Amino acid sequence: LQTKVFLMQKEFEDVEKCSDESSLLPSIQGVSDLMIDFVAGQEPKKQFYAQCPKYFKKLSDNLHSIREMATDLKRLVGKIDIDDLEDYPLDEDLQLIKRYFLITIRIIFKLLVSTIVDNIEHAHNEMVLRSNITHMANLLSSEYTSGDGFSSLNDAFISNSVVRVLLLVCLENKSDWTRCLSLRTLSLVCTTEETIQQFDINSGFEILRDIIVDSKRSEQETKEAISSLASITGPWQRSSESNFKDLKDYAEDYIEEVTKIVEKTESSQTMLICVAVLNNLSRLDSSSVYSLISHQSIFKISKAYEKQVKGEYTVFLLEQITSLILNMSANRKSHYHLTNK
């Protein structure tokens, strides 16, 4: 469905950009046919959609409206002469259909994602739970999912509280393999202002803290939690600082535990994500500099780096270390510490 919707969006855009009047009318007819076919394709699925009364009536009404408008537009275009194009508001009709189509697609995506979310929340066994989380991760990895295009699933993830559900798995599930899978999926879903806000509201930073400081957790689960934290707090995230309010409450714990892991790890990849977390914390919370100083994080990173076998992560690791030093140096009180460590 995402692929079809993506291609339909391209069809709308091609018509909007069309400057050749001789090909405009056939293009509009083509879009009208696509809309009629789309509605016909959804008809057999109404029985499934009916299971969600919250959206069903709106969806049924929209599908009916799209079919009526597309049929009328196709009939009108068939009667218009090229010389009389200016006398007909074809662009307005097309934009109205486009708007109804986008709203309808958003509803369908919400319905489909709600099925996966429901399967995760009420899974009868680990196999069902894991397969649905994996399916969610695959959707999040799709080239069509992110962004603001017609095929984006962001609205569906937000309205179905996907972040909250994945955090519950991290909190309550007894299988460390399943918790790792959920953490990995969280890294993929928390890429927008709204999803990071949901992560913060649902105690996401506290849950990650509890995993990272718990010595009984497996090395893999701890690594996944640190990786999620590095991703969610990354500088590429388009999120306001207000979404990181809870982060500051746990910065001290993060810095202490992550610095310990830097000292112990022999993996350059693990060291990279650890330094990335420390770097992100120093950027988001200026007071974290004092924790970095008290735990001698820079000194321990330097020592660990000297022992590392230089490989594919070396350049990225040096970039993170340099950025961390830069962020710390903004605080004058760190200068003596940095020059001596």
Side-chain angles (χ1 to χ4, degrees):
L1 181 60
Q2 278 185 290
T3 306
K4 288 179 182 178
V5 170
F6 177 77
L7 295 174
M8 287 179 181
Q9 181 180 354
K10 296 291 288 180
E11 290 290 336
F12 274 109
E13 290 171 353
D14 289 343
V15 172
E16 290 166 355
K17 295 173 185 175
C18 184
S19 56
D20 182 8
E21 291 187 349
S22 63
S23 60
L24 179 60
L25 293 178
S27 297
I28 293 175
Q29 280 189 318
V31 169
S32 300
D33 286 334
L34 280 174
M35 292 296 101
I36 293 168
D37 290 343
F38 167 75
V39 173
Q42 296 305 310
E43 286 297 332
K45 300 170 186 175
K46 276 191 174 181
Q47 188 174 358
F48 166 73
Y49 297 148
Q51 296 174 28
C52 187
K54 179 182 176 182
Y55 296 116
F56 181 64
K57 186 177 186 311
K58 175 83 170 171
L59 179 60
S60 297
D61 291 345
N62 278 16
L63 288 171
H64 176 75
S65 297
I66 291 171
R67 181 174 54 224
E68 292 296 308
M69 288 187 290
T71 303
D72 290 344
L73 182 59
K74 181 181 178 182
R75 189 181 300 118
L76 177 63
V77 168
K79 297 177 181 179
I80 295 176
D81 189 271
I82 294 179
D83 297 330
D84 300 328
L85 273 177
E86 294 182 1
D87 298 333
Y88 296 90
L90 296 180
D91 184 60
E92 291 179 16
D93 293 342
L94 197 65
Q95 291 303 317
L96 187 60
I97 294 174
K98 181 180 175 181
R99 181 171 174 273
Y100 267 80
F101 175 62
L102 177 57
I103 294 169
T104 305
I105 281 298
R106 290 282 186 262
I107 294 172
I108 292 173
F109 282 154
K110 285 176 184 178
L111 280 165
L112 296 176
V113 170
S114 72
T115 303
I116 303 171
V117 170
D118 189 60
N119 288 341
I120 293 173
E121 283 195 283
H122 304 103
H124 299 300
N125 56 60
E126 283 297 305
M127 185 177 292
V128 172
L129 177 59
R130 290 176 186 176
S131 66
N132 278 278
I133 295 175
T134 300
H135 187 44
M136 183 73 73
N138 291 337
L139 284 174
L140 287 159
S141 302
S142 165
E143 61 182 300
Y144 306 120
T145 298
S146 58
D148 303 317
F150 284 21
S151 54
S152 170
L153 297 180
N154 285 337
D155 284 350
F157 292 145
I158 293 163
S159 65
N160 284 292
S161 302
V162 168
V163 173
R164 178 189 61 80
V165 172
L166 291 172
L167 284 170
L168 277 174
V169 174
C170 296
L171 197 61
E172 298 177 354
N173 195 271
K174 294 180 180 179
S175 165
D176 112 308
W177 196 96
T178 305
R179 293 196 302 269
C180 285
L181 183 60
S182 187
L183 284 166
R184 209 171 303 134
T185 308
L186 266 174
S187 298
L188 295 170
V189 75
C190 292
T191 56
T192 65
E193 175 98 21
E194 295 84 359
T195 50
I196 291 175
Q197 187 177 49
Q198 286 189 344
F199 181 84
D200 185 49
I201 291 169
N202 288 284
S203 304
F205 291 113
E206 181 181 1
I207 292 169
L208 291 187
R209 189 280 307 269
D210 291 345
I211 294 171
I212 293 169
V213 302
D214 188 352
S215 59
K216 295 179 182 178
R217 304 279 180 157
S218 69
E219 183 181 341
Q220 184 59 34
E221 186 176 2
T222 303
K223 182 180 174 181
E224 291 292 351
I226 295 171
S227 182
S228 294
L229 183 60
S231 175
I232 292 166
T233 58
W236 54 84
Q237 299 287 15
R238 296 176 295 174
S239 183
S240 62
E241 289 192 16
S242 62
N243 287 337
F244 299 107
K245 286 183 291 186
D246 281 3
L247 177 68
K248 297 178 182 181
D249 296 336
Y250 310 111
E252 167 70 24
D253 293 336
Y254 285 140
I255 290 168
E256 181 180 358
E257 293 302 318
V258 171
T259 300
K260 288 179 183 176
I261 293 168
V262 166
E263 283 188 287
K264 294 184 293 184
T265 187
E266 295 180 0
S267 165
S268 56
Q269 186 182 29
T270 301
M271 185 174 175
L272 174 61
I273 59 172
C274 285
V275 177
V277 164
L278 297 176
N279 179 28
N280 293 342
L281 289 171
S282 70
R283 176 179 52 82
L284 291 168
D285 179 14
S286 57
S287 64
S288 66
V289 171
Y290 301 109
S291 296
L292 289 164
I293 292 172
S294 67
H295 294 294
Q296 300 188 10
S297 299
I298 282 292
F299 173 72
K300 291 170 181 176
I301 288 170
S302 177
K303 285 292 183 184
Y305 176 75
E306 289 172 5
K307 294 188 294 182
Q308 286 287 329
V309 176
K310 306 304 181 284
E312 59 182 308
Y313 299 105
T314 303
V315 173
F316 302 108
L317 182 55
L318 284 172
E319 181 185 24
Q320 292 296 326
I321 294 171
T322 305
S323 182
L324 172 59
I325 293 170
L326 177 64
N327 291 337
M328 289 182 68
S329 66
N331 187 323
R332 284 177 173 273
K333 294 182 180 179
S334 72
H335 290 186
Y336 176 81
H337 173 80
L338 291 172
T339 53
N340 285 275
K341 299 299 181 184

